[in-house]
């Protein structure tokens, strides 16, 4: 708990200075809100001393993040070994491009979460089931209850990895053009180009019966 | 050059097996096309043996990628030192969520580029100027010529870092629902939810004259 009573995660060591008008936060609610809006993360790990960054799906369950993949994948095999695999899991939502009179002050409105820690393979069948459902529901809320659950063969081929949200922070920029005073009269357009991710009307599989209704959980979101 | 005459980048060591219906490619044209559509990357580097992944803007100029930041930032300072900073720069474009009858076969349509290599600080003034213009134009094509260029003070505060596209590959999934034959008659909806990034109508800065026209390069794109 911080002095103002806001619940906070542990402050991670700073790797970059906070830029102008970017706000860093360790508040649990703010971090959870960003994580809940996304479903794609970039997972960083180290192989033979060199960094590797791969895009993958994630899910948040309480203060844990889950990712999954093939049991044959090299990074997930690393998470198998005690003491686990050091990772950095980053989620970024872009909200706008900020155009200023000066090239230097151009910026991006965004919300990002960076979680550092040690990832571990999940072996408990119950926790694996919860995580796999959450991974489906994170991308398509409501979907996990409306598809065939994994069978034994599929479960055996799937590695689930957990990262506890412990050393985690968010950065947010949500602001307009931020020009220096002396640039305000320059003859250039300034402002914000809003950016958002759109999920369009679902396209049915050709093998689906033509009168198969679109599930409510898809209609509501899209 | 590969046997079919397609120009290819050096094949990076495989860190994960290619999943079903994902296609890996080393073709320069395919890799350049993905890089040219995005402007946000996730940059991975190693600090005290642990991975760090940060979102940042990038620009492609020929077969070089550029990123920039404050000269005070820790990762960019690392790139200063000979022999440079090992990095992994990843760009991911999400095109769709693929819903199958089975939970296991759910997938994502996407295009990603993963570039490995050693990043180096750029000190040549001419190359720095080209890179900084490219960084503005990558996010907002045409913008670099329509704003005030950086002055000496701003240039002194800006680090530009280069990564040569050498060890780089792309992965692409662009396909429909891919269910097992025996699942096709299950009563679940299947198909693709198209996903795209939208740039909405630019919102002028309140300090801008109300009759200031929207530049053509913004109107055309949005």
């Amino acid at each position: 708990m911080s002095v103002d009573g806001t619940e906070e995660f542990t402050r991670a060591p700073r790797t970059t200075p906070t830029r102008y008008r970017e706000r860093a936060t360790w508040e649990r609610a703010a971090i959870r809100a960003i994580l809940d809006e996304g479903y794609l993360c970039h997972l960083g790990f180290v192989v033979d001393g060199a960094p590797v960054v791969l895009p993958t799906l994630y899910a948040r369950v309480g203060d844990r993040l889950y990712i999954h993949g093939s049991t044959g994948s090299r990074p997930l095999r690393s998470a198998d070994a005690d003491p686990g695999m050091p990772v950095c899991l980053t989620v970024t939502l872009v909200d706008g491009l900020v155009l200023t009179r000066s090239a230097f002050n151009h910026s991006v409105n965004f919300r990002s979460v960076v979680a550092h820690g040690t990832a571990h393979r999940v072996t408990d069948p119950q926790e694996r089931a919860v995580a796999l459902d959450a991974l489906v529901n994170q991308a398509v809320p409501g979907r996990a209850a409306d598809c065939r659950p994994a069978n034994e063969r599929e479960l055996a081929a799937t590695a689930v990895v957990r990262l506890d949200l412990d050393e985690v922070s968010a950065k947010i920029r949500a602001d307009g053009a931020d020009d220096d005073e002396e640039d305000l009269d320059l003859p250039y357009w300034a402002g914000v180009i809003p950016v958002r991710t759109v999920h369009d009307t679902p396209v049915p599989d050709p093998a689906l019966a033509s009168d198969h209704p679109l599930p409510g959980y898809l209609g509501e979101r899209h």
Side-chain angles (χ1 to χ4, degrees), chain A:
Chain A
M1 303 289 284
S2 70
V3 287
D4 63 355
T6 309
E7 204 183 355
E8 288 192 345
F9 288 104
T10 308
R11 293 189 178 224
R14 291 273 282 280
T15 51
T16 51
T18 300
R19 271 172 291 178
Y20 203 44
R21 295 227 179 172
E22 285 182 15
R23 177 170 70 85
T25 179
W26 291 262
E27 293 175 18
R28 285 180 189 260
I31 289 168
R32 288 181 187 136
I34 294 168
L35 290 172
D36 289 355
E37 194 168 321
Y39 47 79
L40 181 86
C41 69
H42 282 79
L43 180 75
F45 49 96
V46 180
V47 176
D48 299 335
V52 178
V53 178
L54 296 180
T56 191
L57 297 175
Y58 72 91
R60 181 181 77 83
V61 179
D63 285 334
R64 292 175 165 181
L65 296 181
Y66 291 99
I67 60 170
H68 72 325
S70 161
T71 48
S73 90
R74 180 167 166 178
L76 298 188
R77 279 205 310 273
S78 305
D80 214 5
D82 188 43
M85 174 175 62
V87 299
C88 179
L89 191 158
T90 299
V91 174
T92 306
L93 309 172
V94 174
D95 296 322
L97 301 175
V98 183
L99 278 60
T100 53
R101 284 84 172 172
S102 63
F104 183 78
N105 284 316
H106 277 64
S107 188
V108 177
N109 280 341
F110 71 99
R111 292 164 289 154
S112 67
V113 168
V114 177
H116 298 271
T118 303
H120 294 278
R121 273 282 285 276
V122 179
T123 54
D124 176 70
Q126 185 59 34
E127 186 179 357
R128 280 166 51 87
V130 168
L132 291 173
D133 278 0
L135 281 154
V136 171
N137 284 333
Q138 181 94 23
V140 186
R143 177 65 181 180
D146 189 40
C147 57
R148 175 178 68 70
N151 58 33
E152 287 304 314
R153 177 182 56 79
E154 292 165 343
L155 286 172
T158 305
V160 174
V161 170
R162 183 181 77 219
L163 175 66
D164 291 333
L165 281 177
D166 179 23
E167 197 183 293
V168 56
S169 62
K171 270 193 189 169
I172 298 170
R173 188 195 193 278
D175 210 339
D178 184 29
D179 266 304
D180 298 344
E181 189 73 25
E182 62 266 32
D183 289 333
L184 287 177
D185 289 332
L186 292 177
Y188 306 116
W189 191 90
V192 176
I193 304 171
V195 177
R196 62 198 164 95
T197 300
V198 171
H199 294 77
D200 286 319
T201 305
V203 179
D205 181 38
L208 207 65
S210 59
D211 60 350
H212 194 116
L214 191 68
Y217 55 85
L218 294 184
E220 281 166 27
R221 177 173 177 191
H222 307 282

